[in-house]
Amino acid sequence: MKNDRQEVAAEPAIQILQPAGWAAPKGYSNGIAARGRTVVVGGQVGWDAQCRFHTSDFAGQAKQALQNIVAVLAEAGGRPEHIIRMTWYVIDKREYLACYPELGRAYREVIGRNFPAMTAVQVAGLIEDAARVEIEATAVIPD
């Protein structure tokens, strides 16, 4: 007997949005569409679990902030590849730009090759005086 049910491939839970003809972004995505459980991670700075900074180095603080994001995300059963959006608040744009190679290595080590929609903003200051960067993230964990 013939099966009248058609199998339909499930749409991906996370889809990168890249308009035709646009230059490919480097290190981020222009947009993301996602289905699943939303997890919002508040701004994380470069301190450890006991709120101690171990470095004043931008890339070092960024790496720790990313590790903090991954730790919070894990509490919801999420992983770095579920991150769909990040906002970086930096004290000094030149410092941020100057450490791109080291920052890229730290990012790939912690987050992998996941490139969510991102925004970086230079701000006048952060609440934690020793912080050089604060990063917030949104993730969607597939159903």
Side-chain angles (χ1 to χ4, degrees), residues 41-104:
V41 180
Q44 298 295 310
V45 295
W47 61 19
D48 66 15
Q50 285 71 48
C51 304
R52 292 183 304 238
F53 287 94
H54 295 277
T55 184
S56 60
D57 173 71
F58 185 93
Q61 284 196 13
K63 181 177 182 181
Q64 182 64 57
L66 293 169
Q67 290 170 332
N68 295 345
I69 288 169
V70 170
V72 172
L73 185 56
E75 290 296 307
R79 298 185 306 272
E81 61 267 25
H82 297 139
I83 297 169
I84 62 164
R85 184 197 62 80
M86 285 184 169
T87 303
W88 293 56
Y89 301 94
V90 303
I91 295 296
D92 183 343
K93 165 178 126 172
R94 287 179 184 82
E95 180 181 31
Y96 170 75
L97 295 172
C99 73
Y100 262 176
E102 187 179 2
L103 188 57

Side-chain angles (χ1 to χ4, degrees), residues 3 24 28 57 62 65 84 89 95 106 110-111 114 116 119 129 131 135:
N3 183 352
Y28 66 95
D57 173 71
I84 62 164
Y89 301 94
E95 180 181 31
V110 178
I111 304 298
N114 177 39
T119 299
D129 289 332
I135 308 168

Side-chain angles (χ1 to χ4, degrees), residues 7 18 31 40 62 66-67 69 83 112 125 136 141-142:
E7 287 192 30
Q18 177 66 20
V40 178
L66 293 169
Q67 290 170 332
I69 288 169
I83 297 169
E136 61 183 14
I141 302 170

